[in-house]
Amino acid sequence: MQFDRLTFEMRRLALAAGARIMEIYEGPDFEVRSKTDASPVTEADEAADTLIAEGLRAAFPDIPLVTEEQADTHGQRLSSFLIVDPLDGTKEFVQRRGDFTVNIAYVQDGVPVRGVVYAPAKGRLFYTAADGGSVEETGPFGPQPGAIRPIGVNATPDNRALMVVASKSHRDQATDDYIAQYGVRDMTSAGSSLKFCLVATGEADLYPRLGRTMEWDTAAGDAVLRGAGGEVVRFDDHTPLTYGKPGFENPFFIAYAPGVLLHPKG
């Protein structure tokens, strides 16, 4: 894999998809439908998916592709592949809350090694550079990368006063009970894969997810976090979260800065 080309193409396609999403987001009312699992889908999801999938297949025709909006890609058994969630946080999009992201990742031997997370309504763009380290690029975003800054997790989190980030739309009592085991300085809520990025930049120390997610929900944010020195582990046994699982479904997980002393599941 030519990682410099991969980074360039993932960034380009994420920005193009984000621009298309914002056209719909800022336009008149859009149609919202329910998929077979009752989750919402909009024309923005589908337009972004078409744009990204066509671009990736043209640029990397020999690499398998998995994308949320194409059910015929979900039955593959893979260890190395591209994986896409064209609009993560559809509920935030529908409610016009802005916490939605475009997500593209490359998984190699079960590990998400490259990824891009773009939050177009918030003007934040995170990705893994060609060398594997993670950066945040500050806008305005053009065809060529602009000003970028390396990002890294909080190297010395205070376990008596952690910053915790949790889901806006999927918070439950089990999550609150788990968080209560920690010394927490403050809590913040965020939608979509932005939670991984807040840990990656040191804006948060801990993100536990005790709920159903799919690999396309997490791969890009996971790659950005790992590239920033963070870790993502299974909730049950604290082993690294892997990709290419049957059906691309995740177990519960914890994303964190390595200085955080993890508690058992309780």
Side-chain angles (χ1 to χ4, degrees):
M1 170 58 71
Q2 297 175 294
F3 286 124
D4 53 350
R5 181 168 179 238
L6 177 65
T7 295
F8 179 86
E9 290 293 337
M10 290 198 304
R11 175 189 176 276
R12 179 183 70 82
L13 292 168
L15 290 173
R20 183 70 186 99
I21 288 167
M22 291 305 294
E23 289 177 6
I24 298 168
Y25 184 71
E26 294 170 345
D29 288 345
F30 42 79
E31 180 186 5
V32 182
R33 303 189 311 280
S34 292
K35 294 192 283 189
T36 55
D37 63 357
S39 62
V41 63
T42 72
E43 61 184 291
D45 298 76
E46 294 166 343
D49 180 73
T50 297
L51 189 157
I52 295 169
E54 289 180 352
L56 289 176
R57 286 180 171 129
F60 308 105
D62 298 327
I63 301 177
L65 175 65
V66 178
T67 175
E68 178 182 13
E69 302 306 333
Q70 297 179 31
D72 60 348
T73 69
H74 300 173
Q76 302 177 86
R77 297 299 298 268
L78 304 168
S79 61
S80 298
F81 52 97
L82 291 157
I83 186 164
V84 174
D85 188 344
L87 177 51
D88 184 32
T90 301
K91 291 181 180 178
E92 278 73 24
F93 177 89
V94 169
Q95 297 172 19
R96 298 185 189 272
R97 291 203 299 232
D99 275 10
F100 50 85
T101 55
V102 178
N103 299 267
I104 308 171
Y106 174 62
V107 173
Q108 187 174 66
D109 298 325
V111 178
V113 295
R114 296 293 187 276
V116 58
V117 176
Y118 178 39
K122 292 188 170 293
R124 299 196 76 174
L125 175 62
F126 308 89
Y127 53 90
T128 46
D131 65 1
S134 292
V135 300
E136 179 173 6
E137 181 179 338
T138 56
F141 306 118
Q144 297 298 323
I148 61 173
R149 66 178 185 96
I151 58 175
V153 298
N154 183 357
T156 56
D158 183 349
N159 282 278
R160 300 163 299 179
L162 297 174
M163 175 64 79
V164 179
V165 62
S167 176
K168 275 186 176 176
S169 300
H170 303 281
R171 183 87 166 269
D172 57 14
Q173 190 60 50
T175 301
D176 288 342
D177 290 345
Y178 178 71
I179 292 170
Q181 298 181 78
Y182 292 86
V184 177
R185 171 170 58 90
D186 202 1
M187 288 275 299
T188 186
S189 295
S192 69
S193 54
L194 278 172
K195 295 181 284 292
F196 289 99
C197 298
L198 295 181
V199 180
T201 61
E203 294 168 70
D205 303 306
L206 176 68
Y207 160 39
R209 180 58 185 267
L210 282 66
R212 184 175 186 262
T213 60
M214 307 301 289
E215 292 184 12
W216 47 77
D217 296 317
T218 62
D222 188 341
V224 169
L225 178 54
R226 294 187 198 215
E231 297 183 17
V232 184
V233 297
R234 295 174 60 106
F235 181 75
D236 54 5
D237 60 9
H238 294 177
T239 59
L241 186 65
T242 60
Y243 289 75
K245 299 179 293 297
F248 302 98
E249 185 168 357
N250 286 324
F252 297 173
F253 64 82
I254 308 166
Y256 66 104
V260 174
L261 301 177
L262 294 184
H263 286 261
K265 59 183 180 178

